[in-house]
Amino acid sequence: MITSTTDCGCESTLVAPAPLTTKDFRSDLKPIWCPGCGDYGVVTALYRALVAIGRPSHEIAFISGIGCSSRIPGYTTAYGFNTVHGRALPVAQGIKMANPDLLVLVAGGDGDGFSIGGGHVPHAIRRNLDLTYIVMDNHIYGLTKGQLSPTTPRGAKTSSSTYGSMEDPVNPLLYVLSYGAGFVAQGVPADMDGLAKMIEEAIRYPGFAFVNVQSPCITFGDPDDQLKIQKTKMRKLAAEGHDPSNWLRAMELAQDYGKELYTGVFYRNPNPPPTYDSQIRERQATLRPKVAAAG
Amino acid sequence: MITSTTDCGCESTLVAPAPLTTKDFRSDLKPIWCPGCGDYGVVTALYRALVAIGRPSHEIAFISGIGCSSRIPGYTTAYGFNTVHGRALPVAQGIKMANPDLLVLVAGGDGDGFSIGGGHVPHAIRRNLDLTYIVMDNHIYGLTKGQLSPTTPRGAKTSSSTYGSMEDPVNPLLYVLSYGAGFVAQGVPADMDGLAKMIEEAIRYPGFAFVNVQSPCITFGDPDDQLKIQKTKMRKLAAEGHDPSNWLRAMELAQDYGKELYTGVFYRNPNPPPTYDSQIRERQATLRPKVAAAG
Amino acid sequence: MLNDLIIGMAGSGGDGIVSAGESLISALAQDGYYAILTKSFGSQIRGGESSCRLRVASTPVLNPGGTLTVAVVLNWEDFLRFGGELPVGPGTVVIYEQKTKVAPDAIPLAVKPAIVRAVPMAELAMKSAGTLQAKNNVVLGLLAGWFGLARQSILEGLRKKFAKKGAEILQGNERAYAAGLDYADKNPLEGDWHFNPPQAGVGKRLITDGNELCASAALFAGCKFFGGYPITPATEIMQHLQRDIWKHGGSLLQAEDEIAGIAAVVGASFAGRKAMTATSGPGLSLKSEVMGLASLAELPLVCVNVQRGGPSTGLPTKSEQADLFAAAFSAHGDTVRPILAPISVEDMFGITVEAFNIAEQYQTPVIVLSDQEIAQRKDIVDPVDRSRFKLVERLEPTAAEMVDYTRFRLTESGISPLSHPGMKGGSYLAAGIEHNEHGDPCSSGEMHEQMNNKRLNKLNPLKQRRDLFLLEGDPTAEVGVISWGSIAGVALEAVRTARAQGLSVKLLIPKLLYPVAEEVYQDFFKSLRRCLVVEQSHQGQLHRIIRMWVNTPAEFTSLAKSGANPITPDDVLRRISAMTRATASA
Amino acid sequence: MLNDLIIGMAGSGGDGIVSAGESLISALAQDGYYAILTKSFGSQIRGGESSCRLRVASTPVLNPGGTLTVAVVLNWEDFLRFGGELPVGPGTVVIYEQKTKVAPDAIPLAVKPAIVRAVPMAELAMKSAGTLQAKNNVVLGLLAGWFGLARQSILEGLRKKFAKKGAEILQGNERAYAAGLDYADKNPLEGDWHFNPPQAGVGKRLITDGNELCASAALFAGCKFFGGYPITPATEIMQHLQRDIWKHGGSLLQAEDEIAGIAAVVGASFAGRKAMTATSGPGLSLKSEVMGLASLAELPLVCVNVQRGGPSTGLPTKSEQADLFAAAFSAHGDTVRPILAPISVEDMFGITVEAFNIAEQYQTPVIVLSDQEIAQRKDIVDPVDRSRFKLVERLEPTAAEMVDYTRFRLTESGISPLSHPGMKGGSYLAAGIEHNEHGDPCSSGEMHEQMNNKRLNKLNPLKQRRDLFLLEGDPTAEVGVISWGSIAGVALEAVRTARAQGLSVKLLIPKLLYPVAEEVYQDFFKSLRRCLVVEQSHQGQLHRIIRMWVNTPAEFTSLAKSGANPITPDDVLRRISAMTRATASA
Ligand SMILES: Cc1ncc(C[n+]2csc(CCOP(=O)(O)OP(=O)(O)O)c2C)c(N)n1
Ligand SMILES: Cc1ncc(C[n+]2csc(CCOP(=O)(O)OP(=O)(O)O)c2C)c(N)n1
Ligand code: SF4
Ligand code: SF4
Ligand SMILES: [Mg+2]
Ligand SMILES: [Mg+2]
């Protein structure tokens, strides 16, 4: 259970919490994503996950970088922060360290997370703050109109690669597993139930949780990489009998990123180590009395 | 064989190359490392490797960031570039792309490479330029006098962690393997022959090659982590029968970073894919005639 | 007869308003006109509101102009969203979609336009082409008909455009165009709204924008490496270059971020190649540290910064001129880097070449401050005469100088011969740390002072480059105007109008913004009692920077507006008149 | 009797010269003196040359001073390496190691000092303590003996220092100290070199430095989060805080780089906590982009930038004041952020508290421009009277304001109530993109102009904060001096000396450097005909920034030297005299 005590002095939400609905999480701002963009599915799945979690929206901080996908916090009633390109994770860590009582969500694009922001990922993971990080991986730079993203496949022709990309793409799943993430999953908006459930699980996981969403860009993305095709391509890990506590197997499956469309939980640490936030509280508690004693 | 043709118009070095000695690579600048610093061993090993390679020093560009270790280019007769903290790899890539004929070496500390510069490593590797990257991993910030580095073990007390570090260290070996590096090795100055040989092999590998050197900091480092102790702790991978073409086994061995002191080649891609520099040349060659034809 | 026509059109994404503007400017180029086309979009990537402005004349157009001559409204909601970007005045002809069901005397505008016409555009499109998508061609027909604009060339353009789409679609669109023409012919406008014919015998003209010209200029100047990261509105520079740079034996890196991009550029420059990056505000901020490295290591590079609305992410699709402070000062320590700014699309070519020349000559990073308007608007320009430009190569050490090579030798000019890897005898240590003449690290205060002197003073000759300043008007005027970047064209038009009205005024347009050429300004100020600096930023950044270095006239004022707030020739003209009155009455 | 004593000592790493300086300043603090101790090292981490300067007086010491009263040379090579940092004059007493085999009349100095003494320091150490390591205590004995300095307190200090090392070592060092004393007694100096006794009845004093005081001030001000990355000479701020911040319920992140550091600070501030970062030049450059985000999102934070020699890596261990331009302007777009600078170690406490207060009150990032000298020199200071400081908390929305909460409401002051996660009803979208009053993304030019107005004008009241300026001297003087940061203490001493010599001069020391308080300067300038700005940078950055915003006296000149080049009270005094002469003769 996630605790909902906050130290902000405002009305406690423990008292008779009214059941929440998706309406409680949908803001008045109308999304300006292109019709058919995969990100619509992501925000819908998120609303559902948040209903299941049951924390009131004002106890949620939702942080993103810059990109089409990074607009997502504005479409929720959480405290949103659409920061600058690539810096969502450090901002989110500052928030969580400053107030560990908050539920902190982070989201953004493949470029935001694994290109300009790629240097922050290993450190966020090894620190292991209790954050949920959702990457909307469309293999393209959507907002800037279709350049190579770090997950664009080799050979792809985009507005910045007329003759085809000459580099291997990054592998977000393999990277975060190597970094030691305790929860790693991949979802598709085409499987709304699965995605919502997965995000909920990620939030419930006590520690850094990573969800890669294959969220197609209908405007600049590969036509073979759209919602309809996802339905035929996806392979549910659960159905394939994958045991999410098996890290080595997860690493093996992750190597197929870009070839196979696995969905579900790749890895969930069966013995979650203490989070950074819990260590902070502990250190504060151990050291605080000393000051008092010293006068 | 490494070709030594350059397009700079200066005297070709293919004509009767005089055999080189370490003197040809040692500069007049006297190292200002602390007496006993592991980095002395690294530069010595490098001189030896360069003698074996046989490229004249003016065809070598040697790039580093900032840190004690990053001073190393100045102690060689190569064209050196002691750039800014964390940016050695991008600078080196620009050099190699601009002039693929050069032999480009990159070096720096654990902080330079995996903290501030950590975001550049996956991209340098997936691009696969023919670079050799040597990290002098001393698990500490030497130059700034002893703060936590990204490879400092959990719990360690340093000048920036009075009560002990609360984070897991990064694992350079595992990271670069996940990033797809074609050559990954680890050496110690305590084994000078092994280290020199390994650097030579790294340079000869056609593509991105990574050498992690456990190079102790005598001034701020863990006393249990010094040259003498390395000799008793090190386990040579070759002696243990490791097959460097086995990537999965390399990943497994890499997981023991910080626990076991393995030295030698963890991984060498038996079928090196084309380098980025070769693709550049190819693209230039394919496209150039078109312009001529057009007038 | 009209000499100067400004058309503004707005609709929603599907209305094809921008595409109509593009067809129109193509046809106008064919016919030998000059024109400027600017586009503006809402924040959606696809769909959402969009608009364009097209200004056309038979002589070179200085700026996109102010109040519209013709407003084309496909729906009122979208039109009004663009506010001050599409200003309607009492002289404007307003043409709007009848389907919007607004009565001509009830249109939602503050002013009463000269003529208001509700046209059944959608109906004409359906009837003629069977699809609403042809509406924009109806609009083209109306414009061609009513204003006598490129009637035949528009038709030819449509034929080319739809050639591949099959006969049916092509004919539908042709019919839509004809329907518009026909409607215009049958419902003539009161008064003479026909446009001046173009000058006769004009040569082939180009439709281009600043980003495209920047890329071709870079290749012409010998740029062999580009490292950068996508960002609006600079991305197209990279996009153009990645198509062509290989053909010139160069290469391009779409880096993982802006820092890596400029770091790679520094590397390529160290390796002896001409190299550049391009970015916009946020990227410029990120590049500060490595720009400082290039200054200290005295490595040439060009950084094009296409200004957009700031601070932070700001207004990514709008033009502003508020990155001048950052360009001049955004790195710690004492550094000066030359800053150049183009004043028009056409000018972007020469400025880019100049940037490479200065970078190589003075071994320094150079910043080109373009802006979103110059970068992305489409202009009809005369073909660039490349023979006008000389290219500069960096000073390399002679064989003699490579015996005991001294990288940072303290020469009189402050410029020391620069070797690069591959040159035997030229090895040295480049670094961000302060060095002695050999390049060895050195923390002596005296050496630091000497090296600071070298790095800063070597740029002084730039201040004598009067060719980097445009001067126009009455040399003895007591009233003056200074302006820069895309807004300079507005000031130029205002000054010309003022002089045509008999006012005594002069204008200075610096293309070299930094270092501040004290003497050029002093000379300009000599006759002045009042001077106005016109620019698109909140703080009036050039106004402040001039004050830093030059003693200014007693009244030295600023006309400055934040980005996305149009500054029109009229705005400037009013200030010139006021200054003239004040001077006369004083 | 001496009133003011400046001791400079240099040797190689093993000589323990710095440790001697530290022992001496501790003893002086015990005895009720004031003193400043500065250290300087070569580029080695361990070993290499090292030096220190100690200035002592019975009244507060304003700066480390210029020419040495006493020079202690353990070997000439190392001593000379420090060049201008250890200047010897005709009035200096030079004490050097006899073993260096230099004859007293052949010492390698340009001037002839007042007294030169070759002392067998090594020999005395070996004889008394049996180890060369005791040399530094011989030196302490010499100084105590010849200058009558803290004889007893030095001994007590040595006893404390060596208590844990065992009786043998302790006694050896005691004997070495005694040997020095004895040598001094037996070989008295010609003339009266004895130092003034301290003031009687002084309270307990602190030996501290700017970085340490900054950390304690931050905790006092309520700082609950620090995010940053190590960099010389700012690292100690983080190091002090990581020991103590947890005790105050806060937390600290040693981030992976400077960008992550300040991004986390922005996050903590968004979460409702007072938060800070600390860095030096290169880090400041890297933080530019996120600083801009904080300005646009109107989130309070404090960024301490400890200036070192620049540009780029520059001179990492030397002091300079050349980051003012970067602090004021290093982010794209139109932003203004308050910049404060302490003028002494002691002042660092108040300035840090003030920085937090301003940040919270005005919802803005604030930069504190400390410098290496203030950050790392050791001063004897009176204990801080914390009751002097009021703490400011940010304005939070009332319950009523949280109904349809409007984060960026356009209020008269420009300050809008700021909620944070956890407050029911206060949810909003913070962003780097331009917004309307509610915080929703908005690209309208009019809104952009209004928001720019809000963000910039809200800081205007700061310009009325005359308490952030020190003013001293003759209010009607025609000659004036302006100075800031650690160099201000030099200017202050010079102005006091000048006035003691009967010159009419006044001094303005701004601690608020930006925004420029036009009126304060105007008032200061009113009586002036000549004004000099004294600062440690090549370009004279404050001098230029004042020009940007204020009309200056006819002669407005700059005394500026690059970092690591000492500026002494004498330098300033000479300029004051020259200005006075020029004014008199005009
Ligand atoms: C510092 C900086 N660099 C570049 C940009 C321009 N930019 C905005 S979003 C983006 C990438 C978008 O791709 P991604 O993160 O994958 O998100 P998507 O739009 O595809 O959802 C870029 C390059 C920026 N806003 N800031
Ligand atoms: C942008 C920037 N940030 C911080 C620093 C300060 N700094 C210099 S080296 C260094 C870390 C040194 O550690 P490492 O890279 O491991 O090298 P080592 O000294 O241990 O060999 C730091 C933090 C800097 N010079 N520039
Ligand atoms: S451009 Fe692509 S990612 Fe962006 S909103 Fe449109 S479909 Fe979605
Ligand atoms: S501080 Fe450590 S890493 Fe640096 S030179 Fe000394 S021993 Fe080597
Ligand atoms: Mg994307
Ligand atoms: Mg290290």
Side-chain angles (χ1 to χ4, degrees), chain C residues 513-534:
Chain C
L513 300 178
Y514 212 81
V516 172
E518 291 103 337
E519 282 178 33
V520 175
Y521 289 99
Q522 269 158 16
D523 289 352
F524 182 71
F525 289 156
K526 241 172 230 158
S527 70
L528 294 186
R529 294 174 59 189
R530 293 191 160 72
C531 184
L532 176 73
V533 186
V534 184

Side-chain angles (χ1 to χ4, degrees), chain A residues 11-58:
Chain A
E11 175 189 350
S12 166
T13 52
L14 282 174
V15 191
L20 298 165
T21 70
T22 55
K23 267 196 202 142
D24 291 302
F25 296 103
R26 178 180 288 121
S27 76
D28 297 336
L29 216 58
K30 197 177 151 274
I32 54 171
W33 289 313
C34 306
C37 176
D39 297 347
Y40 284 101
V42 183
V43 74
T44 307
L46 180 67
Y47 296 147
R48 289 210 213 161
L50 290 176
V51 168
I53 295 289
R55 291 280 300 262
S57 65
H58 69 276

Side-chain angles (χ1 to χ4, degrees), chain A residues 114 119 122-123 126-127 150 154 163-164 166-168 170 174-175 178-179 247 251 255 276 279 283 287, chain B residues 114 119 122-123 126-127 150 154 163-164 166-170 174-175 178-179 247 251 255 276 279 283 287:
Chain A
F114 286 93
H123 303 283
R126 71 192 183 89
R127 276 177 209 127
R154 183 182 266 272
Y163 312 107
M166 299 194 297
E167 345 175 288
D168 283 331
V170 312
L174 192 66
Y175 284 17
S178 313
Y179 298 155
W247 185 80
M251 288 288 280
Q255 284 174 62
Y276 201 73
Q279 293 179 75
R283 185 169 279 186
L287 294 172
Chain B
F114 286 93
H123 303 284
R126 71 194 184 88
R127 279 177 207 127
R154 183 182 267 271
Y163 312 108
M166 300 194 297
E167 342 175 295
D168 282 331
V170 312
L174 193 66
Y175 285 17
S178 315
Y179 298 156
W247 187 80
M251 288 289 279
Q255 283 173 61
Y276 201 74
Q279 294 179 73
R283 185 168 281 184
L287 293 173

Side-chain angles (χ1 to χ4, degrees), chain B residues 33-34 37 68 138 142 217-220, chain D residues 45:
Chain B
W33 289 314
C34 305
C37 176
C68 292
N138 57 8
C217 172
I218 198 165
T219 304
F220 302 107
Chain D
I45 298 289

Side-chain angles (χ1 to χ4, degrees), chain D residues 399-459:
Chain D
E401 284 166 334
M402 284 200 287
V403 180
D404 191 22
Y405 175 58
T406 308
R407 163 65 186 107
F408 298 102
R409 192 147 51 81
L410 293 165
T411 60
E412 198 162 331
S413 65
I415 297 160
S416 333
L418 169 53
S419 65
H420 62 76
M423 291 176 75
K424 197 169 172 180
S427 296
Y428 73 100
L429 179 68
I433 205 160
E434 188 60 285
H435 46 240
N436 62 19
E437 289 183 81
H438 272 91
D440 299 338
C442 173
S443 61
S444 125
E446 294 99 70
M447 188 49 72
H448 180 40
E449 191 81 76
Q450 285 180 306
M451 285 295 162
N452 268 340
N453 265 326
K454 171 186 201 292
R455 287 187 293 258
L456 272 61
N457 292 346
K458 72 179 177 183
L459 301 175

